[in-house]
Amino acid sequence: MRAAVLHAPGPPSAFSLEDIPMPAVGRNDVLVAVAACGVSSKDVVERNGTYRRDMAFPIVIGMEISGRVVECGADVSDFKAGDFICTKAFSSCGRCRYCRNGRETTCLKRRPVRGGYGEFAAIDADACVRVPPGIPFEVSCTLGPGAGVALNAVRDTAHVQLGETVLVTGATGGVGLPAMQLAKLAGARVIAVTRNDQKKGGLVQDGADEVVVASSGEDFSKAVRALTDGLGVDVVIDTVGSRMFKASFDSLAMHGRYATVGQLFGEDTSINLARIFFKRAEILGVGSVSRTQLEDVVNLVARGRLMPRIARTLPLEDIALAHELVESGEMSGRVVVVPNKQ
Ligand SMILES: [Zn+2]
């Protein structure tokens, strides 16, 4: 089968397209003909060597997978050949103390999903969720790490309530955009922060009530307070990280919740801890997507309530270009490659 193989960390041109043996299908695995694979910033850091956990070269990366099941391992009972699936980022064991407490994303035996940059991938069935035929593959592949994580942030971590005001940073990004749409669905008023003035119109179309344009590191909290009668916002969903932290925390109202769901930069940030207790603020860490959360976003997309934006769909041969586009940070919506035309 054809795959984009990485023999060592490197620039986007480091991938080599090769014919390699079919992956071995374990007892708990499904073999999937990969119809689409999202290219994420996680893929970028796996490629360039910044992320090293569980990386053994040569390797076929790619974790945002959608496709058709062609074979099932001996112990798989939830799927059959012909099913359409998409994936979460990790499989979990279902038996450790975290799994048993509904915290599967921190499973002690979790294993990363990989292999999406090949025509076929063997994936632990636990990491797969069934997708109805009406959802295009290039959309369903992005649902776990994008909309699924956004649902985790908005509904299950920040607990956004009807009538609240929510600030979303990086609002045109893979998590930011669905977070904005989901906060609207939850009945909140949404203020979007973006670096790019030209993206303002699109953000309003996608559901932002107000858009604040601010460059990285700029203090936008005065603009946010002006929009909220001086009170600030009830919730921040921060998909950018350190360079947005100060202005975003300054935008937070008394008793506000600050959900942190991304860190695009390597540097630290600092805060006088008294500011957290004076404000009675909650700082909340958002993890990856659970199976239930992924099933729920698949449902929302199937019912037309949520629509992720796909910026470019490219053949697997253009994997280097796909990585360049993702690294540029200029795309509105997701970049997807097609390893196996269905
Ligand atoms: Zn577990």
Side-chain angles (χ1 to χ4, degrees):
M1 67 163 204
R2 295 274 284 168
V5 181
L6 203 53
H7 289 275
S13 59
F15 291 106
S16 102
L17 278 163
E18 297 172 16
D19 277 312
I20 60 168
M22 290 286 281
V25 183
R27 298 185 70 85
N28 295 307
D29 292 347
V30 290
L31 182 68
V32 175
V34 182
C37 184
V39 177
S40 67
S41 43
K42 171 98 183 296
D43 293 9
V44 170
V45 294
E46 289 191 347
R47 186 210 74 225
N48 67 22
T50 309
Y51 185 97
R52 299 201 185 93
R53 198 169 160 185
D54 301 314
M55 294 285 287
F57 296 93
I59 193 167
V60 179
I61 64 167
M63 60 170 177
E64 302 184 9
I65 298 169
S66 66
R68 186 171 42 85
V69 174
V70 291
E71 192 186 320
C72 294
D75 292 344
V76 173
S77 53
D78 293 346
F79 298 96
K80 60 181 189 315
D83 284 347
F84 295 162
I85 61 96
C86 66
T87 54
K88 54 182 188 149
F90 298 91
S91 62
S92 40
C93 76
R95 291 182 294 276
C96 72
R97 62 182 291 120
Y98 293 131
C99 283
R100 288 186 192 281
N101 285 299
R103 294 167 172 166
E104 70 190 60
T105 63
T106 47
C107 170
L108 295 168
K109 293 179 179 170
R110 71 178 199 169
R111 290 192 301 136
V113 169
R114 291 215 177 92
Y117 293 1
E119 284 182 296
F120 294 90
I123 307 165
D124 191 320
D126 175 80
C128 300
V129 161
R130 196 173 287 103
V131 178
I135 303 178
F137 287 121
E138 68 264 30
V139 170
S140 59
C141 72
T142 68
L143 292 181
V149 171
L151 183 76
N152 182 359
V154 169
R155 185 188 69 183
D156 298 335
T157 306
H159 303 292
V160 170
Q161 305 285 310
L162 176 68
E164 289 190 317
T165 301
V166 177
L167 181 81
V168 179
T169 67
T172 56
V175 176
L177 191 67
M180 202 173 74
Q181 295 173 323
L182 289 163
K184 282 294 285 185
L185 280 176
R189 173 189 180 205
V190 174
I191 302 175
V193 184
T194 182
R195 284 183 297 172
N196 190 336
D197 193 47
Q198 289 168 347
K199 291 180 174 173
K200 207 169 168 175
L203 283 166
V204 171
Q205 265 179 9
D206 283 319
D209 295 289
E210 267 94 25
V211 180
V212 173
V213 179
S215 58
S216 197
E218 189 181 333
D219 182 11
F220 50 80
S221 61
K222 281 200 180 69
V224 173
R225 289 198 174 268
L227 292 168
T228 51
D229 299 327
L231 291 174
V233 297
D234 303 296
V235 171
V236 170
I237 307 286
D238 182 9
T239 71
V240 176
S242 46
R243 286 181 205 173
M244 288 287 183
F245 178 76
K246 186 171 186 311
S248 301
F249 190 84
D250 289 350
S251 303
L252 195 63
M254 290 293 289
H255 310 279
R257 287 102 71 203
Y258 192 111
T260 168
V261 63
Q263 168 65 335
L264 303 185
F265 312 101
E267 77 256 7
D268 291 345
T269 189
S270 67
I271 185 170
N272 183 326
L273 293 175
R275 299 199 57 216
I276 297 177
F277 60 74
F278 281 143
K279 196 175 263 198
R280 318 293 194 268
E282 291 178 60
I283 308 273
L284 303 161
V286 180
S288 69
V289 66
S290 73
R291 228 188 131 91
T292 307
Q293 287 158 347
L294 182 50
E295 285 169 354
D296 289 350
V297 288
V298 165
N299 232 315
L300 285 165
V301 172
R303 288 166 47 219
R305 304 300 302 273
L306 180 69
M307 188 35 77
R309 185 180 292 187
I310 308 304
R312 288 284 290 275
T313 304
L314 296 164
L316 185 63
E317 287 71 21
D318 289 338
I319 187 68
L321 171 62
H323 271 245
E324 283 163 16
L325 290 171
V326 172
E327 271 187 290
S328 77
E330 295 305 318
M331 305 303 289
S332 245
R334 303 302 316 282
V335 176
V336 168
V337 291
V338 176
N340 191 335
K341 269 207 150 47
Q342 308 274 312

